[in-house]
Amino acid sequence: MKIVIAGAGAVGTHLARLMSRDHQDCVLLDEDAERLDGLDSEYDIMTLQGSPTSIHDLKEAGAQGADLFVAVTPDESRNMTSCIIAHAIGARKTVARIDNYEYLAPKLQPFFSQLGISSLIYPEVLAAIDISNGLQMSWVRQRWDVHGGALVMLGIKLRATCQILNQPLRELCGPDDPYHIVAIKRENETIIPGGNDELRLGDLAYFMTTKDYIPYIRKIVGKEQYADVKNVIIMGGGKTSVRAALTAPKHFNIKIIETDEQRCRRLNELLADTDVMVIHGDGRNINLLMEEGIRHTQAFVALTNNAETNILACLTAKRLGVRKTIAMVENLDYVDMAEELDIGTIINKKTIAASHIYQMMLDAKVSNLRSLMMVDADVAEFTAEEGSPVTKKPVKSLGLPFGVAIGGLVRDNVGMLVNGNSQIEAGDTVMVFCHEQKMNKMERFFKQSQLW
C-alpha cells in the first residue's frame, strides 16, 4: 500500500513508525527539514521536504498514486486543503486532522466527502472519549464498550485482593465462564495468554466480558472497596479537558483547575451550559487541592501539556487519597516510567489518533482499531464477510497466528464470548487481540476468499 503523510509532528512520526513496522510504502512530507532529519534511517520510510499544499510537492511525494493520504500538520486549514488537492490529483482515501468540533457533525460527512476528504480526526475528542470511559469505573485502568456494551473490555491492575491469582487460565476461563483473559502486561512482557498461563500479582490484565458480569469481575479481582466516581478534578484547561468535561457522565461533579486567568474566562464561556466549576490556580498546589475537596475526590485527571507535571500531579493526588488518576503523557519515553510509578490510566493523543488512521489501511471491514499502549498489543473489531475463512471452521481449527486471540463476538447485537469450539458466522463483529505487527496478518481470515 502507498501512503503519504503530510506533517512530521507527533502524530505523523508515530504513524510513520506504524507504517514502517508493517513495511508499507510510506512517504513523510514536511516543510521543516529538521523535523525530517534522521527519520528515513530510523524508520523504513522515505522523507521529503516540501509543502503539503503544493501540487508539485504532493506529486513528488506520490500523492497521485496514494492509497491513503494523511494530513496531520498543526494547521487545520492546510490539512483540509492538502486533502482536497491530493484527492483531486488521484489519492484514493484522505484523512485530515482538525480542531473544530463542528466539522464532526454526521450531517457534514457527505459535504466533506464531496470535497475529497474521506475522514476527519480530532485527537482531543478521541482522547476525551477514552478519559470518559476510564472515569466510569474507579477500579479499571481502561474500559472499552463494543456495540453499546454488548461486549466490554476491562483493563485491571491485579492487587493482593484478587481471588484468581496463580491458577491456570484453563481452569478459570472455560467455555461456560463469563469472562476471558485476552492480554496480560507483566513488567516489560506482553502476553497473549493460553490455557497454561496464570495471572500474577501486579499484572495488568485485560478481561473480555458482557455488561451483566461486570459486578462479578469486580468481585473476583478484589476491587469492591473502590468508591464509585462522583467528584472529579481536572488539572489543565486545554481542548482535551473541555471535551472530557462535555462527554463525562452527567452525574459527575467536575472542577477544572487552570493557571491562566484568560483561559479560565474562556472555559467559563465554553462550559456555560454545564455545571462544571472553573478554578484559577495551580493544580499542583496542595493547599488549593485541599480547599477544593481533594480528600472527597474519587478521580484526578492531569491534562496539561507537560508530561512530567501530569505524572507528578497524579502522584500527589494518590498520596492525598485519590484512587483513580489519569495522566496525559505525550512523550512516549515517559509511558513506561508512568506505569512503573503506578500512575493509573495513561492517555496519549498521538497513539489514539494514529490507531484511528491505521485502521483505514486494512482492506478487511474493521472498526475501532486501537493500540493498547501499555501492553504493546492491538485490538480491533473485524466484521466477517460472507465466505471468509473465519466462517468455515471452528476457531480452534483456523490456524490463527501465534500471539493472536479472539476475545468475543457480537451477533445480532448480542455479545458472546468465544472458545475453541465457537463457529463464527458472516456478519459477526469479532474482537481480535494480537501483538503489534500482526493485525494486518488477520485480514485474510475475515475477507471473502475462494482459496481457503
Side-chain angles (χ1 to χ4, degrees), residues 389-450:
V390 79
T391 64
K392 296 184 176 180
K393 296 180 181 179
V395 169
K396 64 183 178 183
S397 302
L398 290 175
L400 298 177
F402 177 77
V404 172
I406 293 178
L409 62 83
V410 178
R411 180 179 298 156
D412 297 327
N413 295 317
V414 177
M416 57 190 75
L417 300 180
V418 169
N419 59 63
N421 296 319
S422 298
Q423 179 66 59
I424 295 171
E425 299 179 4
D428 287 350
T429 298
V430 183
M431 299 301 300
V432 177
F433 295 78
C434 63
H435 283 299
E436 288 187 343
Q437 305 182 35
K438 293 191 177 181
M439 191 61 73
N440 59 342
K441 297 180 180 179
M442 290 301 298
E443 286 186 276
R444 66 183 182 90
F445 288 92
F446 291 88
K447 285 182 62 62
Q448 187 175 14
S449 172
Q450 305 298 325

Short mmCIF file of all heavy atoms in Angstrom, two decimals, residues 389-450:
data_model
loop_
_atom_site.label_atom_id
_atom_site.label_comp_id
_atom_site.label_asym_id
_atom_site.label_seq_id
_atom_site.Cartn_x
_atom_site.Cartn_y
_atom_site.Cartn_z
N PRO A 389 -12.63 -17.05 5.34
CA PRO A 389 -12.07 -18.24 6.00
C PRO A 389 -12.53 -18.41 7.45
O PRO A 389 -12.73 -19.54 7.91
CB PRO A 389 -10.56 -17.98 5.93
CG PRO A 389 -10.38 -17.15 4.72
CD PRO A 389 -11.58 -16.25 4.66
N VAL A 390 -12.72 -17.29 8.15
CA VAL A 390 -13.06 -17.39 9.57
C VAL A 390 -14.44 -18.01 9.79
O VAL A 390 -14.76 -18.47 10.90
CB VAL A 390 -12.96 -15.99 10.23
CG1 VAL A 390 -14.18 -15.15 9.92
CG2 VAL A 390 -12.73 -16.09 11.72
N THR A 391 -15.26 -18.05 8.74
CA THR A 391 -16.61 -18.61 8.87
C THR A 391 -16.67 -20.09 8.50
O THR A 391 -17.74 -20.70 8.58
CB THR A 391 -17.60 -17.84 7.98
OG1 THR A 391 -17.24 -18.03 6.60
CG2 THR A 391 -17.60 -16.36 8.31
N LYS A 392 -15.56 -20.68 8.08
CA LYS A 392 -15.61 -22.03 7.52
C LYS A 392 -15.17 -23.13 8.47
O LYS A 392 -15.39 -24.31 8.19
CB LYS A 392 -14.74 -22.08 6.25
CG LYS A 392 -15.27 -21.17 5.14
CD LYS A 392 -14.48 -21.29 3.86
CE LYS A 392 -15.09 -20.44 2.76
NZ LYS A 392 -14.34 -20.53 1.48
N LYS A 393 -14.56 -22.74 9.58
CA LYS A 393 -14.10 -23.74 10.55
C LYS A 393 -14.30 -23.20 11.96
O LYS A 393 -14.35 -21.99 12.16
CB LYS A 393 -12.61 -24.05 10.34
CG LYS A 393 -12.26 -24.67 9.00
CD LYS A 393 -10.75 -24.92 8.91
CE LYS A 393 -10.36 -25.52 7.57
NZ LYS A 393 -8.89 -25.74 7.49
N PRO A 394 -14.36 -24.10 12.96
CA PRO A 394 -14.37 -23.63 14.35
C PRO A 394 -13.07 -22.87 14.65
O PRO A 394 -12.04 -23.07 13.99
CB PRO A 394 -14.45 -24.93 15.17
CG PRO A 394 -15.01 -25.94 14.23
CD PRO A 394 -14.50 -25.56 12.87
N VAL A 395 -13.11 -22.02 15.64
CA VAL A 395 -11.96 -21.17 15.96
C VAL A 395 -10.70 -21.99 16.18
O VAL A 395 -9.61 -21.61 15.72
CB VAL A 395 -12.28 -20.31 17.21
CG1 VAL A 395 -11.02 -19.62 17.73
CG2 VAL A 395 -13.35 -19.28 16.88
N LYS A 396 -10.81 -23.14 16.85
CA LYS A 396 -9.63 -23.94 17.17
C LYS A 396 -8.95 -24.51 15.92
O LYS A 396 -7.77 -24.90 15.97
CB LYS A 396 -9.99 -25.07 18.12
CG LYS A 396 -10.95 -26.11 17.54
CD LYS A 396 -11.32 -27.16 18.57
CE LYS A 396 -12.31 -28.17 18.00
NZ LYS A 396 -12.72 -29.17 19.04
N SER A 397 -9.66 -24.55 14.80
CA SER A 397 -9.12 -25.13 13.57
C SER A 397 -8.72 -24.08 12.53
O SER A 397 -8.36 -24.43 11.41
CB SER A 397 -10.15 -26.08 12.94
OG SER A 397 -10.52 -27.11 13.84
N LEU A 398 -8.75 -22.80 12.91
CA LEU A 398 -8.47 -21.75 11.94
C LEU A 398 -6.99 -21.55 11.67
O LEU A 398 -6.61 -20.96 10.66
CB LEU A 398 -9.07 -20.41 12.43
CG LEU A 398 -10.59 -20.31 12.41
CD1 LEU A 398 -11.04 -19.01 13.04
CD2 LEU A 398 -11.12 -20.43 10.99
N GLY A 399 -6.14 -22.03 12.57
CA GLY A 399 -4.71 -21.83 12.40
C GLY A 399 -4.31 -20.37 12.59
O GLY A 399 -3.52 -19.83 11.80
N LEU A 400 -4.85 -19.73 13.62
CA LEU A 400 -4.53 -18.33 13.88
C LEU A 400 -3.05 -18.17 14.19
O LEU A 400 -2.44 -19.06 14.80
CB LEU A 400 -5.36 -17.81 15.06
CG LEU A 400 -6.88 -17.80 14.87
CD1 LEU A 400 -7.56 -17.33 16.15
CD2 LEU A 400 -7.28 -16.91 13.71
N PRO A 401 -2.44 -17.06 13.78
CA PRO A 401 -1.02 -16.85 14.08
C PRO A 401 -0.75 -16.85 15.57
O PRO A 401 -1.63 -16.49 16.38
CB PRO A 401 -0.74 -15.46 13.47
CG PRO A 401 -1.82 -15.24 12.47
CD PRO A 401 -3.02 -15.96 13.00
N PHE A 402 0.47 -17.21 15.95
CA PHE A 402 0.86 -17.17 17.36
C PHE A 402 0.77 -15.72 17.85
O PHE A 402 1.15 -14.79 17.16
CB PHE A 402 2.28 -17.69 17.53
CG PHE A 402 2.78 -17.62 18.95
CD1 PHE A 402 2.37 -18.55 19.88
CD2 PHE A 402 3.65 -16.61 19.34
CE1 PHE A 402 2.83 -18.48 21.19
CE2 PHE A 402 4.12 -16.54 20.63
CZ PHE A 402 3.70 -17.47 21.56
N GLY A 403 0.28 -15.55 19.07
CA GLY A 403 0.16 -14.21 19.62
C GLY A 403 -1.13 -13.50 19.25
O GLY A 403 -1.25 -12.30 19.40
N VAL A 404 -2.12 -14.29 18.78
CA VAL A 404 -3.42 -13.73 18.40
C VAL A 404 -4.50 -14.42 19.22
O VAL A 404 -4.44 -15.63 19.45
CB VAL A 404 -3.70 -13.92 16.90
CG1 VAL A 404 -5.13 -13.52 16.56
CG2 VAL A 404 -2.72 -13.12 16.06
N ALA A 405 -5.47 -13.63 19.69
CA ALA A 405 -6.59 -14.20 20.43
C ALA A 405 -7.89 -13.55 19.97
O ALA A 405 -7.92 -12.36 19.65
CB ALA A 405 -6.41 -13.98 21.93
N ILE A 406 -8.95 -14.35 19.90
CA ILE A 406 -10.28 -13.84 19.64
C ILE A 406 -11.02 -13.82 20.97
O ILE A 406 -11.24 -14.85 21.59
CB ILE A 406 -11.02 -14.69 18.60
CG1 ILE A 406 -10.33 -14.56 17.24
CG2 ILE A 406 -12.48 -14.27 18.50
CD1 ILE A 406 -10.96 -15.40 16.14
N GLY A 407 -11.40 -12.62 21.40
CA GLY A 407 -11.96 -12.49 22.73
C GLY A 407 -13.46 -12.65 22.80
O GLY A 407 -14.00 -13.06 23.82
N GLY A 408 -14.15 -12.29 21.73
CA GLY A 408 -15.60 -12.38 21.76
C GLY A 408 -16.16 -11.91 20.44
O GLY A 408 -15.43 -11.48 19.54
N LEU A 409 -17.48 -12.00 20.30
CA LEU A 409 -18.14 -11.52 19.08
C LEU A 409 -19.51 -10.96 19.43
O LEU A 409 -20.07 -11.23 20.50
CB LEU A 409 -18.23 -12.64 18.04
CG LEU A 409 -19.02 -13.90 18.36
CD1 LEU A 409 -20.53 -13.72 18.12
CD2 LEU A 409 -18.53 -15.08 17.53
N VAL A 410 -20.02 -10.16 18.51
CA VAL A 410 -21.38 -9.63 18.64
C VAL A 410 -22.17 -10.11 17.43
O VAL A 410 -21.77 -9.90 16.28
CB VAL A 410 -21.38 -8.09 18.69
CG1 VAL A 410 -22.81 -7.57 18.78
CG2 VAL A 410 -20.56 -7.60 19.89
N ARG A 411 -23.30 -10.77 17.71
CA ARG A 411 -24.17 -11.30 16.65
C ARG A 411 -25.59 -10.82 16.92
O ARG A 411 -26.14 -11.08 18.00
CB ARG A 411 -24.11 -12.82 16.62
CG ARG A 411 -24.99 -13.48 15.57
CD ARG A 411 -24.84 -14.99 15.63
NE ARG A 411 -23.47 -15.40 15.35
CZ ARG A 411 -22.94 -16.57 15.77
NH1 ARG A 411 -23.67 -17.42 16.49
NH2 ARG A 411 -21.69 -16.86 15.47
N ASP A 412 -26.15 -10.10 15.98
CA ASP A 412 -27.50 -9.54 16.15
C ASP A 412 -27.60 -8.72 17.44
O ASP A 412 -28.57 -8.83 18.20
CB ASP A 412 -28.55 -10.66 16.15
CG ASP A 412 -28.59 -11.42 14.84
OD1 ASP A 412 -28.35 -10.79 13.79
OD2 ASP A 412 -28.83 -12.64 14.88
N ASN A 413 -26.53 -7.93 17.69
CA ASN A 413 -26.47 -7.02 18.84
C ASN A 413 -26.37 -7.74 20.18
O ASN A 413 -26.55 -7.11 21.23
CB ASN A 413 -27.67 -6.06 18.87
CG ASN A 413 -27.67 -5.12 17.67
OD1 ASN A 413 -26.64 -4.58 17.29
ND2 ASN A 413 -28.84 -4.93 17.07
N VAL A 414 -26.08 -9.02 20.15
CA VAL A 414 -25.90 -9.79 21.39
C VAL A 414 -24.43 -10.18 21.50
O VAL A 414 -23.87 -10.80 20.58
CB VAL A 414 -26.80 -11.05 21.41
CG1 VAL A 414 -26.53 -11.87 22.67
CG2 VAL A 414 -28.27 -10.64 21.33
N GLY A 415 -23.81 -9.85 22.61
CA GLY A 415 -22.41 -10.20 22.83
C GLY A 415 -22.26 -11.60 23.37
O GLY A 415 -23.07 -12.05 24.18
N MET A 416 -21.22 -12.28 22.93
CA MET A 416 -20.94 -13.61 23.44
C MET A 416 -19.44 -13.86 23.40
O MET A 416 -18.72 -13.34 22.53
CB MET A 416 -21.68 -14.69 22.63
CG MET A 416 -21.39 -14.67 21.13
SD MET A 416 -22.51 -15.77 20.20
CE MET A 416 -24.02 -14.79 20.19
N LEU A 417 -18.95 -14.61 24.36
CA LEU A 417 -17.55 -14.96 24.40
C LEU A 417 -17.26 -16.10 23.44
O LEU A 417 -18.16 -16.84 23.05
CB LEU A 417 -17.14 -15.35 25.82
CG LEU A 417 -17.34 -14.25 26.87
CD1 LEU A 417 -16.91 -14.74 28.25
CD2 LEU A 417 -16.57 -12.99 26.51
N VAL A 418 -16.01 -16.23 23.06
CA VAL A 418 -15.59 -17.20 22.05
C VAL A 418 -14.65 -18.20 22.66
O VAL A 418 -13.75 -17.85 23.44
CB VAL A 418 -14.91 -16.48 20.86
CG1 VAL A 418 -14.24 -17.47 19.93
CG2 VAL A 418 -15.93 -15.65 20.09
N ASN A 419 -14.85 -19.50 22.34
CA ASN A 419 -13.89 -20.54 22.72
C ASN A 419 -13.50 -21.33 21.47
O ASN A 419 -13.92 -21.00 20.36
CB ASN A 419 -14.48 -21.45 23.81
CG ASN A 419 -15.77 -22.14 23.36
OD1 ASN A 419 -15.78 -22.92 22.41
ND2 ASN A 419 -16.88 -21.83 24.04
N GLY A 420 -12.69 -22.35 21.66
CA GLY A 420 -12.18 -23.10 20.53
C GLY A 420 -13.24 -23.75 19.67
O GLY A 420 -13.05 -23.96 18.47
N ASN A 421 -14.38 -24.07 20.26
CA ASN A 421 -15.45 -24.73 19.52
C ASN A 421 -16.42 -23.76 18.86
O ASN A 421 -17.34 -24.18 18.15
CB ASN A 421 -16.24 -25.66 20.45
CG ASN A 421 -15.38 -26.80 20.98
OD1 ASN A 421 -14.59 -27.38 20.22
ND2 ASN A 421 -15.51 -27.11 22.26
N SER A 422 -16.22 -22.46 19.10
CA SER A 422 -17.14 -21.46 18.55
C SER A 422 -17.05 -21.42 17.02
O SER A 422 -15.96 -21.54 16.45
CB SER A 422 -16.84 -20.08 19.12
OG SER A 422 -17.01 -20.05 20.52
N GLN A 423 -18.19 -21.20 16.38
CA GLN A 423 -18.25 -21.06 14.94
C GLN A 423 -18.66 -19.62 14.61
O GLN A 423 -19.77 -19.19 14.93
CB GLN A 423 -19.24 -22.03 14.33
CG GLN A 423 -19.37 -21.92 12.82
CD GLN A 423 -18.09 -22.34 12.10
OE1 GLN A 423 -17.61 -23.47 12.24
NE2 GLN A 423 -17.53 -21.42 11.31
N ILE A 424 -17.77 -18.88 14.00
CA ILE A 424 -18.06 -17.50 13.62
C ILE A 424 -18.89 -17.51 12.34
O ILE A 424 -18.65 -18.29 11.42
CB ILE A 424 -16.75 -16.72 13.41
CG1 ILE A 424 -16.01 -16.62 14.75
CG2 ILE A 424 -17.01 -15.33 12.85
CD1 ILE A 424 -14.60 -16.07 14.64
N GLU A 425 -19.89 -16.62 12.27
CA GLU A 425 -20.78 -16.54 11.12
C GLU A 425 -20.60 -15.22 10.38
O GLU A 425 -20.11 -14.24 10.95
CB GLU A 425 -22.24 -16.67 11.58
CG GLU A 425 -22.56 -18.00 12.26
CD GLU A 425 -24.00 -18.08 12.73
OE1 GLU A 425 -24.77 -17.11 12.45
OE2 GLU A 425 -24.36 -19.09 13.37
N ALA A 426 -20.97 -15.20 9.13
CA ALA A 426 -20.90 -13.98 8.33
C ALA A 426 -21.72 -12.88 8.99
O ALA A 426 -22.84 -13.12 9.45
CB ALA A 426 -21.41 -14.24 6.92
N GLY A 427 -21.15 -11.69 9.06
CA GLY A 427 -21.83 -10.56 9.69
C GLY A 427 -21.49 -10.38 11.15
O GLY A 427 -21.81 -9.33 11.74
N ASP A 428 -20.85 -11.38 11.76
CA ASP A 428 -20.44 -11.24 13.16
C ASP A 428 -19.36 -10.16 13.28
O ASP A 428 -18.46 -10.05 12.43
CB ASP A 428 -19.86 -12.55 13.70
CG ASP A 428 -20.92 -13.61 13.94
OD1 ASP A 428 -22.12 -13.27 13.86
OD2 ASP A 428 -20.55 -14.77 14.19
N THR A 429 -19.42 -9.37 14.35
CA THR A 429 -18.34 -8.45 14.70
C THR A 429 -17.47 -9.16 15.72
O THR A 429 -17.94 -9.55 16.79
CB THR A 429 -18.89 -7.15 15.30
OG1 THR A 429 -19.69 -6.49 14.32
CG2 THR A 429 -17.76 -6.23 15.71
N VAL A 430 -16.20 -9.34 15.39
CA VAL A 430 -15.31 -10.19 16.17
C VAL A 430 -14.18 -9.35 16.77
O VAL A 430 -13.54 -8.58 16.06
CB VAL A 430 -14.72 -11.32 15.29
CG1 VAL A 430 -13.86 -12.25 16.13
CG2 VAL A 430 -15.84 -12.10 14.60
N MET A 431 -13.95 -9.52 18.07
CA MET A 431 -12.87 -8.80 18.75
C MET A 431 -11.58 -9.60 18.64
O MET A 431 -11.49 -10.73 19.12
CB MET A 431 -13.22 -8.60 20.23
CG MET A 431 -14.47 -7.78 20.46
SD MET A 431 -14.35 -6.14 19.74
CE MET A 431 -12.95 -5.50 20.63
N VAL A 432 -10.59 -9.00 18.00
CA VAL A 432 -9.30 -9.65 17.78
C VAL A 432 -8.21 -8.91 18.56
O VAL A 432 -8.08 -7.69 18.44
CB VAL A 432 -8.94 -9.68 16.28
CG1 VAL A 432 -7.57 -10.30 16.07
CG2 VAL A 432 -9.99 -10.45 15.49
N PHE A 433 -7.42 -9.66 19.32
CA PHE A 433 -6.29 -9.13 20.07
C PHE A 433 -5.02 -9.75 19.53
O PHE A 433 -4.97 -10.95 19.27
CB PHE A 433 -6.40 -9.47 21.56
CG PHE A 433 -7.57 -8.84 22.25
CD1 PHE A 433 -8.84 -9.36 22.10
CD2 PHE A 433 -7.42 -7.72 23.05
CE1 PHE A 433 -9.94 -8.78 22.72
CE2 PHE A 433 -8.49 -7.14 23.67
CZ PHE A 433 -9.75 -7.67 23.52
N CYS A 434 -4.00 -8.94 19.36
CA CYS A 434 -2.75 -9.50 18.88
C CYS A 434 -1.58 -8.58 19.22
O CYS A 434 -1.76 -7.39 19.48
CB CYS A 434 -2.78 -9.76 17.38
SG CYS A 434 -2.99 -8.32 16.37
N HIS A 435 -0.38 -9.17 19.22
CA HIS A 435 0.83 -8.38 19.37
C HIS A 435 0.93 -7.40 18.22
O HIS A 435 0.39 -7.62 17.14
CB HIS A 435 2.07 -9.29 19.37
CG HIS A 435 2.29 -10.02 20.65
ND1 HIS A 435 2.51 -9.38 21.84
CD2 HIS A 435 2.34 -11.35 20.93
CE1 HIS A 435 2.68 -10.28 22.81
NE2 HIS A 435 2.58 -11.47 22.28
N GLU A 436 1.63 -6.29 18.46
CA GLU A 436 1.89 -5.35 17.38
C GLU A 436 2.55 -6.09 16.21
O GLU A 436 3.25 -7.07 16.39
CB GLU A 436 2.81 -4.23 17.87
CG GLU A 436 2.13 -3.25 18.81
CD GLU A 436 3.00 -2.07 19.14
OE1 GLU A 436 4.23 -2.14 18.91
OE2 GLU A 436 2.48 -1.07 19.65
N GLN A 437 2.28 -5.59 15.01
CA GLN A 437 2.83 -6.11 13.77
C GLN A 437 2.06 -7.31 13.23
O GLN A 437 2.44 -7.87 12.20
CB GLN A 437 4.32 -6.49 13.88
CG GLN A 437 5.20 -5.35 14.38
CD GLN A 437 6.66 -5.76 14.43
OE1 GLN A 437 7.12 -6.51 13.59
NE2 GLN A 437 7.37 -5.24 15.40
N LYS A 438 0.95 -7.73 13.89
CA LYS A 438 0.25 -8.92 13.41
C LYS A 438 -1.18 -8.63 12.97
O LYS A 438 -1.83 -9.51 12.41
CB LYS A 438 0.25 -10.01 14.49
CG LYS A 438 1.64 -10.57 14.77
CD LYS A 438 1.60 -11.81 15.62
CE LYS A 438 3.01 -12.39 15.81
NZ LYS A 438 3.02 -13.61 16.63
N MET A 439 -1.67 -7.41 13.20
CA MET A 439 -3.06 -7.14 12.86
C MET A 439 -3.30 -7.28 11.36
O MET A 439 -4.33 -7.79 10.92
CB MET A 439 -3.45 -5.74 13.34
CG MET A 439 -4.94 -5.46 13.25
SD MET A 439 -5.96 -6.58 14.27
CE MET A 439 -5.62 -5.95 15.91
N ASN A 440 -2.33 -6.82 10.54
CA ASN A 440 -2.53 -6.92 9.09
C ASN A 440 -2.55 -8.38 8.62
O ASN A 440 -3.10 -8.69 7.56
CB ASN A 440 -1.47 -6.12 8.33
CG ASN A 440 -0.06 -6.60 8.63
OD1 ASN A 440 0.18 -7.28 9.61
ND2 ASN A 440 0.88 -6.22 7.78
N LYS A 441 -1.97 -9.30 9.41
CA LYS A 441 -2.00 -10.71 9.05
C LYS A 441 -3.37 -11.35 9.29
O LYS A 441 -3.64 -12.45 8.80
CB LYS A 441 -0.94 -11.48 9.83
CG LYS A 441 0.49 -11.04 9.53
CD LYS A 441 1.49 -11.83 10.33
CE LYS A 441 2.93 -11.37 10.03
NZ LYS A 441 3.93 -12.11 10.83
N MET A 442 -4.22 -10.64 10.04
CA MET A 442 -5.55 -11.18 10.34
C MET A 442 -6.58 -10.85 9.26
O MET A 442 -7.67 -11.41 9.24
CB MET A 442 -6.04 -10.65 11.69
CG MET A 442 -5.29 -11.20 12.89
SD MET A 442 -5.40 -13.01 12.97
CE MET A 442 -7.16 -13.24 13.15
N GLU A 443 -6.23 -9.94 8.35
CA GLU A 443 -7.18 -9.52 7.33
C GLU A 443 -7.71 -10.70 6.51
O GLU A 443 -8.91 -10.80 6.25
CB GLU A 443 -6.53 -8.52 6.38
CG GLU A 443 -6.33 -7.15 6.94
CD GLU A 443 -5.82 -6.21 5.87
OE1 GLU A 443 -4.61 -6.18 5.64
OE2 GLU A 443 -6.66 -5.52 5.26
N ARG A 444 -6.81 -11.58 6.11
CA ARG A 444 -7.21 -12.65 5.19
C ARG A 444 -8.25 -13.59 5.80
O ARG A 444 -9.01 -14.24 5.08
CB ARG A 444 -5.99 -13.46 4.75
CG ARG A 444 -5.32 -14.25 5.85
CD ARG A 444 -4.08 -14.97 5.36
NE ARG A 444 -3.42 -15.79 6.38
CZ ARG A 444 -3.72 -17.05 6.60
NH1 ARG A 444 -4.64 -17.66 5.86
NH2 ARG A 444 -3.09 -17.73 7.54
N PHE A 445 -8.30 -13.65 7.12
CA PHE A 445 -9.27 -14.53 7.78
C PHE A 445 -10.69 -13.99 7.66
O PHE A 445 -11.66 -14.75 7.75
CB PHE A 445 -8.91 -14.71 9.26
CG PHE A 445 -7.70 -15.56 9.51
CD1 PHE A 445 -6.45 -14.98 9.61
CD2 PHE A 445 -7.81 -16.93 9.62
CE1 PHE A 445 -5.32 -15.76 9.84
CE2 PHE A 445 -6.69 -17.72 9.84
CZ PHE A 445 -5.44 -17.13 9.95
N PHE A 446 -10.83 -12.68 7.48
CA PHE A 446 -12.15 -12.06 7.51
C PHE A 446 -12.64 -11.58 6.15
O PHE A 446 -13.77 -11.16 6.02
CB PHE A 446 -12.15 -10.88 8.50
CG PHE A 446 -12.02 -11.32 9.93
CD1 PHE A 446 -10.77 -11.50 10.52
CD2 PHE A 446 -13.15 -11.58 10.69
CE1 PHE A 446 -10.65 -11.92 11.83
CE2 PHE A 446 -13.03 -12.01 12.00
CZ PHE A 446 -11.78 -12.18 12.58
N LYS A 447 -11.78 -11.68 5.12
CA LYS A 447 -12.18 -11.29 3.78
C LYS A 447 -12.63 -12.50 2.98
O LYS A 447 -12.15 -13.61 3.18
CB LYS A 447 -11.01 -10.60 3.06
CG LYS A 447 -10.75 -9.18 3.54
CD LYS A 447 -9.62 -8.55 2.76
CE LYS A 447 -9.95 -8.43 1.29
NZ LYS A 447 -11.14 -7.56 1.04
N GLN A 448 -13.56 -12.26 2.08
CA GLN A 448 -14.08 -13.34 1.23
C GLN A 448 -12.93 -13.97 0.44
O GLN A 448 -12.09 -13.28 -0.13
CB GLN A 448 -15.14 -12.79 0.28
CG GLN A 448 -15.84 -13.87 -0.53
CD GLN A 448 -16.96 -13.30 -1.37
OE1 GLN A 448 -17.05 -12.11 -1.55
NE2 GLN A 448 -17.81 -14.16 -1.89
N SER A 449 -12.89 -15.29 0.45
CA SER A 449 -11.78 -15.98 -0.23
C SER A 449 -12.30 -17.22 -0.93
O SER A 449 -13.16 -17.94 -0.41
CB SER A 449 -10.71 -16.37 0.79
OG SER A 449 -9.72 -17.19 0.19
N GLN A 450 -11.78 -17.49 -2.11
CA GLN A 450 -12.13 -18.69 -2.85
C GLN A 450 -11.06 -19.78 -2.69
O GLN A 450 -11.19 -20.87 -3.19
CB GLN A 450 -12.26 -18.37 -4.34
CG GLN A 450 -13.23 -17.24 -4.63
CD GLN A 450 -14.65 -17.54 -4.21
OE1 GLN A 450 -15.09 -18.69 -4.31
NE2 GLN A 450 -15.36 -16.53 -3.76
#
